[in-house]
């Protein structure tokens, strides 16, 4: 290793390779290396993959972290930028590189697709179920503006469709739907109701049934977002009427529905869509009116189901204690917030909130935290409608926006923001996923390409839905985790 | 004690005796000799040698003094001095006065000018005795040189008294006791606390420590400082002009002119003759031949004073001649193309003042030399040159060198005024043909729009999803859509043709829908009971408006009420309480402006006659005022008192729209003649600010009503302009108006761009309706 003689003029620097993944760890003696300073990530990755080092059967692309940030320049430029001499030993942590997520499939719908959820072994709903999910039988749930829920298998077949409005389905567009368990689905939308469905699959897994089991009334405005917690049968909703609803999916334990909000309250002929099927109609466990403007998203704390976070158009992110239905903490940002997601992997749990000002704000929701805004992720050109965490990395997340793109972010890929951006730490997206129907097109106002919902699953990849009436699946296999692990 | 005294005297008088002479040498001079020297040296004016006795000499001197006293003062001074000295002698040597009597007496006698200062008496022995007057120590008499006669022991060394307690005797014969010498300690103290003027010496005369007096110290200081020792001595006194240097004009002599002045000079005649002879002989030519002079005139000699100038180092005294720049390529008749100015440069050169131009010429290219035209600046240049030669002063345009940027008012940068809408976030596409009007509902959830296709559509504002639509105008376009203010009910009003529709779109929850429906239907019954006014003929007058159900097809869709008026309604404007709304049908003669009461289903015509065609109306946001805009003016009426309050004259030719600031004191007016005018209602009827930023007519103006200091206008050029317009509570301060953003995107169709505009009730977002059939949400 040290026998490499310095070639004419190129400086060399000592590097020390390390990794957190035991399967790609270098033997003890090979970790120190003298490399020329003009190498970039690609050359370093080649060095690591070479026979004398890891000797991998197929080359694994690596990314290199120095001091927790990705190396995006040559080593020389890094040394210059940080004022280091070439005498120092650089500690290079290598991780498997993110591979550009490749387009896999599109599931076509009749109308705009507003929401998408995934049932897989590793998804929350999959883990809550009793039997679990058979590998290969992952399901994708989509809710559409035509008021129908659809459950898809991996081969783009809609194996179940919810009944129409007259048969007990949603009377207006669905805006949010989630698997509560492998056999239960909750959905809500512009008809201001939450419906709980029983999902039963046939033995051959090629057909299934969606049967409404419960209708929940209480909101006076559109329901924008829904989150579920399977073990406690709790449903959280965020509504246009500034309220957050706490509901239960068990009919017996739910209170009576408020009569004025039932569709039968309206004696209009037009509204005589009265459900022939007698689905039980129930009310909310609690309605919290803490927000002063429409609530756009609400989520359970993934680590603690008694805590919920919400964000809304009143620029705030609020923390709720669900046992007492109390607003515990309020963080005010400077823009209306349209989406929210928790990043539980990081030791200090972070919330990522998508704003109408086209960026994602990372917030520390802990009461003790001094700074409200940790980081800003910039890159979208329209409001951020949906955020999902990377299921396999502690630092990754994906966001969907009305600009028709999904962007993958790595919190380690940061820089210091310019003054115009309000300084602070600014992150930039690692990859951009366009809608397959409108590649390289940038319609004004995101017309026809808006992404309404995005989900990231270990088994299925990145699932996104939008105004193009499709659920698009992009496979980032090996993006953040090793193949076959 | 005498010898030092004499020494001093001599020093003062003669100045040529060396100072080093000591006591012994002094003693060698006899008194008489001394006096002689004195008199000789001083009275040097007396040419006569004085060989006679001293007395004679003195007498003579005396006489001379008496005679020449007036003319010459210096000798007398000297005499006096000498006299004083002698006087001092008398005093000093009182004991030996006798032997020197005669010696002393005469000088003393000199002193007095008129009479001798002694009386001659007889002494005890019968001899002559001179009794002198007491010397009056007048101002002039300087006694300072006389030593203090303290010890009268005579000329004996003090050491003789060493063994005695006294050191001599005073003038009264009393013993002068030796001053007590201090103990060793005192001596030490003395040596430590050196008194002023301490010398460390003992005065031999008194035995006391010899200390220098203040004057002596001062003299020493002056000597050390290289100054003249004498105090108050002015080394440079002002000169006194004793003799004048001015020559008198008047001749002193009256002698007649000498003869030679009149006689011609022979010498001159000789010289003239010499010249004459030379001229005759042709040796001197009296004039030059004229042809020669002409030649000389022709070839003027020009001197180039900088001809052989050597380059010299830069210096203040050497200003080098200005160097003419050698002609460059751009002066060529056919310069290379890169030297030729572009169109923009040409324009810039032509637009600048001739004085400000960097170059006086524009490089121009000609294919060949023969195409080069005459030098057009020739006359001008010659004229300037002539003026230069005449040193003609010309008025130079005095340009103030002011940075134009500094004259602009200090406006905050648009970035600092965020937030304001910047990009199109959502596009609402669905209308066929123009979208004529749009409105965001009071909660900001829904966007209602109406257009040429006769439909009213309701969209979800954030996503751009169309939720509801109804075709209300079969033939007519929907000209206006407005939501009823207030969040308790959701009622949409739309105007198509002569009909105004009140709509409760089935998009909200049953509770709100019920309330809304009840509000719309509440007036049924009133309208039928209302008595219709009778015309002169006794027939029932046509009601100004008919309130009715629109028919079951529309009713099923949520259109609950139809109000039919006489002519096409163009504008709907709601009162903030949501019970009244006003409509404008500009083509109607008298019933152009109608006010409708929702709760009673009642339509009233408030104005019987309006000056001009009404364009739009608006209720004041807080006071019972009603604004009506005609083509030229905006009138505000008090609805309670039924009177005209104010006439605002924006100065626009044709007002298209106006809006009242939510504060109620300001107004913006948009006009078809491209102007946007800001009015301060308290200030004047004339606009406070006029903005002309659009290429085409302004269709709509709107204030943000949710707390942001923003307003926007929509123009036919397809753009919206967002302004920051901050109104401060302070009456003294004017509103700050800063244009912050131009939003472009709407396409211009048939010379129509953006038709209507509205703001989100809370956020700094705006929506616009375009003639291209789209609505856009900007955030």
């Amino acid at each position: 290793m040290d026998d490499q003689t310095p070639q004419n003029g190129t400086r060399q620097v000592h590097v020390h390779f390390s990794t957190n993944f035991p399967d790609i760890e270098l033997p003890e003696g090979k970790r120190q290396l003298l490399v020329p300073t003009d190498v970039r990530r690609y050359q370093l990755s080649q060095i690591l993959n070479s026979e004398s080092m890891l000797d991998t059967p197929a080359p694994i692309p690596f990314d290199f972290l120095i001091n927790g940030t990705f190396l995006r320049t040559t080593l020389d430029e890094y040394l210059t930028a940080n004022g280091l001499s070439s005498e120092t030993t650089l500690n290079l942590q290598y991780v498997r590189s993110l591979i550009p997520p490749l387009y896999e499939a599109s599931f076509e719908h009749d109308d705009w697709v507003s929401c998408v959820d995934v049932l897989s072994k590793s998804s929350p709903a999959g883990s809550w179920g009793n039997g679990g999910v058979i590998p290969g039988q992952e399901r994708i749930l989509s809710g559409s503006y035509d008021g129908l829920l659809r459950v898809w298998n991996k081969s783009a077949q809609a194996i179940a469709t919810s009944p129409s409005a007259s048969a007990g389905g949603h009377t207006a567009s669905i805006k949010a739907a989630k698997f509560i368990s492998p056999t239960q689905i909750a959905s809500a939308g512009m008809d201001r109701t939450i419906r709980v469905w029983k999902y039963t699959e046939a033995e051959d897994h090629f057909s299934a049934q969606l049967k409404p089991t419960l209708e929940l009334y209480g909101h006076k405005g559109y329901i924008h977002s829904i989150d579920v917690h399977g073990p406690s049968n709790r449903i959280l909703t965020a509504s246009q009427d500034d309220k957050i609803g706490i509901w239960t999916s068990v009919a017996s334990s739910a209170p009576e529905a408020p009569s004025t909000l039932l569709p039968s309250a309206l004696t209009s002929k037009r509204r005589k869509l009265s459900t022939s099927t007698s689905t039980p109609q129930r009310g909310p466990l609690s309605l919290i009116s803490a927000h002063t403007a429409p609530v756009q998203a609400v989520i359970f704390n993934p680590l603690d189901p008694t805590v919920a976070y919400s964000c809304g158009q009143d620029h705030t992110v609020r923390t709720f204690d669900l046992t007492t239905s109390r607003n515990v903490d309020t963080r005010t940002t400077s823009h209306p917030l349209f989406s929210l997601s928790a990043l539980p992997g990081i030791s200090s749990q972070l919330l990522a909130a998508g704003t109408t000002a086209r960026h994602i704000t990372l917030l520390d929701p802990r009461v003790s935290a001094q700074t409200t805004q940790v980081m800003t992720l910039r890159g979208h050109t329209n409001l951020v409608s949906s955020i999902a965490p990377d299921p396999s990395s502690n630092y990754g997340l994906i966001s969907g926006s009305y600009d028709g793109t999904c962007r993958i972010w790595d919190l380690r890929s940061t820089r210091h923001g310019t003054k115009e951006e309000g300084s602070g730490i600014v992150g930039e997206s690692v990859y951009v996923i366009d809608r397959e129907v409108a590649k390289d097109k940038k319609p004004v106002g995101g017309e026809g390409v808006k992404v309404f919902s995005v989900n990231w699953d270990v088994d299925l990849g990145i699932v996104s839905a939008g105004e193009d009436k499709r659920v698009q699946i992009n496979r980032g296999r090996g993006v953040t985790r090793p193949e076959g692990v | 004690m005498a010898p030092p005294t004499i020494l001093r005297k001599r020093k003062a008088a003669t100045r040529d005796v060396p100072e080093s002479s000591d006591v012994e040498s002094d003693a060698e001079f006899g008194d008489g000799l001394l006096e002689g020297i004195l008199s000789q040296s001083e009275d040097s004016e007396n040419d006569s040698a004085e060989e006679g006795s001293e007395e004679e000499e003195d007498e003579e001197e005396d006489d001379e003094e008496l005679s020449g006293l007036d003319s010459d003062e210096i000798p007398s001074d000297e005499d006096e001095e000498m006299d004083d000295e002698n006087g001092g002698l008398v005093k000093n040597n009182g004991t030996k006065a006798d032997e020197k009597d005669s010696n002393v007496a005469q000088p003393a006698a000199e002193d007095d000018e008129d009479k001798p200062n002694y009386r001659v008496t007889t002494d005890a022995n019968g001899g002559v005795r001179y009794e002198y007057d007491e010397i009056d120590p007048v101002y002039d008499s300087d006694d300072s040189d006389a030593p203090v006669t303290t010890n009268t022991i005579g000329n004996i060394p003090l050491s003789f008294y060493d063994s005695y307690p006294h050191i001599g005797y005073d003038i009264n014969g009393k013993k002068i006791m030796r001053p007590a010498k201090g103990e060793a300690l005192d001596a030490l103290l003395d040596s430590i606390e050196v008194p002023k003027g301490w010398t460390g010496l003992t005065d031999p005369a008194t035995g006391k420590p010899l200390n220098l007096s203040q004057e002596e110290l001062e003299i020493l200081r002056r000597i050390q400082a290289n100054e003249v020792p004498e105090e108050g001595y002015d080394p440079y006194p002002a000169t006194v002009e004793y003799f004048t240097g001015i020559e008198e004009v008047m001749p002193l002599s009256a002698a007649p002119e000498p003869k030679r002045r009149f006689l011609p000079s022979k010498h001159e005649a000789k010289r003239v003759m010499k010249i004459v002879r030379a001229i005759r002989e042709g040796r001197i030519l009296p004039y030059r031949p004229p042809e020669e002079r002409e030649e000389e005139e022709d070839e003027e000699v020009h001197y180039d004073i900088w001809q052989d100038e050597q380059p010299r180092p830069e210096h203040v005294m050497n200003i080098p001649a200005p160097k003419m720049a050698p002609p460059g390529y751009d002066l060529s008749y056919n310069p290379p193309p890169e030297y030729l100015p572009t169109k923009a440069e040409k324009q810039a050169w032509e637009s600048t003042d001739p004085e400000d131009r960097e170059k006086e010429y524009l490089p121009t290219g000609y294919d060949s030399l023969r195409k080069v035209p005459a030098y057009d600046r020739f006359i001008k240049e010659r004229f300037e040159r002539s003026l230069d030669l005449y040193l003609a002063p010309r008025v130079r345009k005095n340009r103030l060198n002011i940075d134009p940027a500094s004259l602009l008012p200090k406006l905050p940068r648009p970035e600092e005024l965020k937030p304001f809408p910047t990009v199109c976030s959502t596009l609402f596409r669905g209308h066929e043909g123009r979208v004529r009007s749009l409105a965001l509902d009071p909660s900001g959830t829904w966007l209602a729009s109406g257009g040429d296709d006769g439909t009213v559509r309701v969209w979800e504002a954030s996503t751009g999803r169309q939720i509801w639509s109804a075709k209300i105008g079969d033939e007519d376009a929907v000209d206006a859509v407005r939501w009823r203010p207030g969040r308790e009910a959701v009622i949409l009003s739309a105007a198509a043709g002569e009909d105004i529709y009140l709509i409760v779109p089935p998009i909200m929850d049953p509770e709100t829908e019920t309330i809304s429906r009840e509000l719309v239907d509440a007036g049924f019954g009133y309208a039928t009971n209302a008595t219709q006014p009778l015309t002169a003929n006794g027939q029932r007058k046509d009601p100004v408006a008919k309130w009715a159900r629109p028919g079951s097809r529309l009713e099923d869709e949520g259109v609950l009420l139809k109000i039919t008026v006489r002519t096409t309604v163009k504008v709907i404007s709601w009162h903030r309480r949501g019970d009244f709304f006003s409509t404008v049908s500009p083509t109607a003669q008298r019933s152009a402006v109608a006010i409708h009461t929702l709760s009673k289903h009642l339509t009233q015509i408030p104005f019987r006659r309006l000056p001009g065609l009404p364009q739009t109306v608006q209720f004041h946001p807080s006071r019972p005022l009603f604004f009506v805009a005609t083509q030229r003016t905006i009138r505000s009426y008090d609805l309670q008192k039924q009177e005209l309050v104010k006439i605002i004259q924006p100065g626009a030719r044709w007002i298209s729209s106006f809006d009242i600031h939510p504060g109620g004191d300001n107004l913006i007016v948009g006009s078809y003649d491209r102007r946007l005018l800001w009015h301060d209602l308290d200030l004047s009827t004339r606009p406070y600010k006029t903005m002309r930023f659009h290429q085409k007519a302004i269709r709509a103006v709107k204030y943000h009503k949710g707390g942001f200091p923003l307003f926007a206008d929509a123009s036919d050029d397809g753009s919206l302009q967002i302004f920051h317009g901050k109104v401060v509570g302070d009456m003294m301060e004017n509103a700050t108006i800063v244009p912050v953003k131009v939003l472009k995107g709407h396409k211009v169709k048939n010379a129509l761009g953006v038709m209507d505009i509205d703001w989100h009730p809370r956020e700094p977002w705006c929506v616009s309706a375009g003639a291209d059939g789209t609505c856009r949400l900007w955030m």
Side-chain angles (χ1 to χ4, degrees), chain B residues 582-583 590-596 603-610 617 626 628 637 639 642:
Chain B
S582 176
T583 55
R590 291 187 173 171
S591 58
V593 177
I595 295 180
H596 310 269
T603 302
Q604 290 162 296
I605 309 292
F607 308 110
R608 287 281 148 230
R609 185 165 293 277
L610 271 167
V617 293
F626 186 62
V628 180
Y637 296 92
L639 287 179
Q642 305 253 328

Side-chain angles (χ1 to χ4, degrees), chain A residues 111-112 145 175 192 220 222 240 260-261 266 270 294 313 315 336 356 358 382 402 444-445 447 450, chain B residues 422-423 425 427 429 445-446 460 462-463 465 467 506-511 513-514 556 762-763 776:
Chain A
D111 209 339
W112 299 4
Y145 269 81
K175 294 208 87 174
R192 302 168 295 278
K220 289 184 181 178
Y222 300 159
Q240 181 78 21
T260 53
L261 292 175
L266 206 68
R270 181 188 46 79
Q313 289 188 28
H315 306 194
T356 60
R358 304 171 283 284
N382 210 331
Y402 280 10
V444 175
E447 194 193 3
K450 291 190 196 89
Chain B
T422 50
V423 292
S425 179
L427 200 83
R429 198 187 286 278
T445 317
W446 297 294
E460 192 186 6
S462 60
T463 55
R465 171 86 187 181
I467 300 167
I507 47 173
M508 67 293 254
D509 62 297
E511 213 175 291
E513 193 169 341
T514 314
D556 277 350
R762 284 187 315 271
E763 298 297 334
R776 282 161 205 251

Side-chain angles (χ1 to χ4, degrees), chain B residues 351-412:
Chain B
S351 63
T352 47
D353 278 345
E355 290 168 9
D356 294 338
R357 285 173 187 165
E358 211 165 303
K359 277 187 212 163
E360 285 180 335
Y361 54 90
L362 262 186
T364 325
Y366 301 100
D367 296 340
S368 58
L369 201 53
R370 75 187 149 78
K371 287 185 181 162
V372 176
Y375 185 42
D376 55 343
R377 293 189 69 250
F378 181 77
I379 303 287
K380 170 91 176 146
E381 211 175 73
R382 284 297 144 123
F383 179 65
E384 289 286 321
R385 174 73 182 148
S386 311
L387 288 177
D388 278 344
L389 290 176
Y390 278 117
L391 302 176
R394 272 155 288 173
V395 175
R396 230 185 112 92
K397 214 162 130 195
N398 209 359
R399 289 188 72 82
L400 289 171
N401 210 356
I402 297 172
D403 182 17
S406 69
L407 290 175
L408 291 172
K410 290 234 169 352
L411 287 178

Side-chain angles (χ1 to χ4, degrees), chain B residues 52-123:
Chain B
S53 73
E54 286 172 32
E55 283 151 65
E56 273 174 11
E57 184 197 0
D58 279 350
E59 274 170 3
E60 211 176 280
E61 256 183 24
D62 220 352
D63 291 343
E64 201 199 311
E65 196 149 296
L66 282 170
S67 64
L69 197 67
D70 294 343
S71 62
D72 199 354
E73 291 145 13
I74 302 163
S76 77
D77 269 353
E78 290 292 328
D79 285 355
E80 260 180 18
E81 197 178 53
M82 190 175 67
D83 191 32
D84 287 343
E85 282 152 14
N86 286 343
L89 262 179
V90 171
K91 270 192 198 163
N92 270 342
N93 309 331
T95 45
K96 344 178 222 179
D98 284 3
E99 69 178 63
K100 279 196 172 176
D101 255 352
S102 60
N103 227 354
V104 170
Q106 255 120 14
E110 292 166 19
D111 191 357
D112 238 334
E113 287 144 319
D114 310 312
K115 55 179 176 68
N117 55 348
Y118 54 85
R119 297 177 301 276
V120 183
T121 50
T122 50
D123 60 5

